[in-house]
Amino acid sequence: MTDLPPSSDLPVEHLAACFNKVTNSYKFYWFLAILEHLRENHSAVIPINDLLARMVASVWYPANYFRLSFGKQDRLGQIAVQVGEHTLLPIDSKRQEVIHSIQELSANSPTAYEITSLGEYAPFRFLRPFFTQQLRGLSDWKVNEKIKGLAEQTFTDPQSPCIYRFVSQPAAAIEIQASWFKYLNQHLKI
């Protein structure tokens, strides 16, 4: 288990468990994207597309400059290379330039489709440790909808709130729960 700062009113052990069974880098980069957004914007509502763009931007330099492989199953590095080929951004582009270029991609482009496909699992699977008991034995194709419903139900639970829920105003987004928002901001440097 990863040691995180304790909290008397939050299930920090569930957040730590998010990183226990990891076969790809998505959960790590998803969480880093959330933290980065909180640091820069101080907003509890975060568009999923913004987080996906930040994930790709995080691997931009190692994937394009060093051709770092993130593993056979992990497509994050491949997507970063694909963005470079599609946008013709130089390898040494600044992070904000990469994020902006990703956000400007045509929704119909194969590269945009690849980036969007990252959002099919990462946001939901990240929450899985919060609902281990409720998801036990559930078919994989039913997990996302179940997690979405459970995140909504537990969002206001004072004893064991989920870290975020899914919202759709104005676009697909996550909303960080108030106590978690305070906790993450308080421990952002760690």
Side-chain angles (χ1 to χ4, degrees):
M1 183 169 136
T2 306
D3 290 331
L4 294 174
S7 172
S8 60
D9 33 323
L10 291 173
V12 176
E13 68 279 3
H14 294 317
L15 176 59
C18 291
F19 307 107
N20 285 347
K21 295 180 182 177
V22 180
T23 57
N24 297 311
S25 65
Y26 305 131
K27 289 180 185 177
F28 295 108
Y29 285 106
W30 175 256
F31 188 56
L32 285 172
I34 290 171
L35 295 176
E36 181 182 276
H37 178 88
L38 291 176
R39 185 182 69 241
E40 291 176 10
N41 300 296
H42 307 289
S43 169
V45 177
I46 312 169
I48 290 175
N49 285 339
D50 178 63
L51 294 173
L52 298 176
R54 288 174 184 276
M55 288 172 65
V56 175
S58 291
V59 301
W60 171 262
Y61 193 74
N64 282 292
Y65 187 78
F66 296 108
R67 296 293 185 190
L68 181 67
S69 171
F70 290 87
K72 290 184 178 185
Q73 295 179 5
D74 198 315
R75 295 185 351 255
L76 200 52
Q78 296 166 357
I79 292 171
V81 170
Q82 201 175 349
V83 167
E85 292 168 355
H86 186 81
T87 62
L88 303 178
L89 281 171
I91 290 173
D92 60 348
S93 295
K94 301 287 185 223
R95 183 175 183 73
Q96 281 309 118
E97 292 173 320
V98 176
I99 292 171
H100 180 73
S101 293
I102 291 169
Q103 292 170 336
E104 294 297 314
L105 286 172
S106 166
N108 298 330
S109 75
T111 306
Y113 174 78
E114 286 291 321
I115 294 167
T116 303
S117 72
L118 294 173
E120 292 176 15
Y121 293 102
F124 300 96
R125 297 315 198 258
F126 186 83
L127 295 181
R128 195 174 198 137
F130 285 84
F131 311 114
T132 304
Q133 296 300 321
Q134 299 94 319
L135 298 172
R136 184 163 280 127
L138 193 64
S139 299
D140 194 52
W141 61 276
K142 293 181 178 179
V143 170
N144 286 6
E145 277 306 309
K146 184 72 172 176
I147 287 174
K148 194 174 186 177
L150 290 167
E152 183 65 36
Q153 287 174 355
T154 62
F155 192 73
T156 57
D157 182 347
Q159 295 170 337
S160 188
C162 182
I163 192 168
Y164 60 79
R165 67 177 169 184
F166 299 89
V167 294
S168 57
Q169 299 294 332
I174 62 168
E175 179 183 2
I176 307 292
Q177 194 269 355
S179 296
W180 278 108
F181 183 80
K182 181 179 175 185
Y183 173 87
L184 293 174
N185 278 297
Q186 180 181 357
H187 301 293
L188 204 50
K189 289 184 181 181
I190 295 173

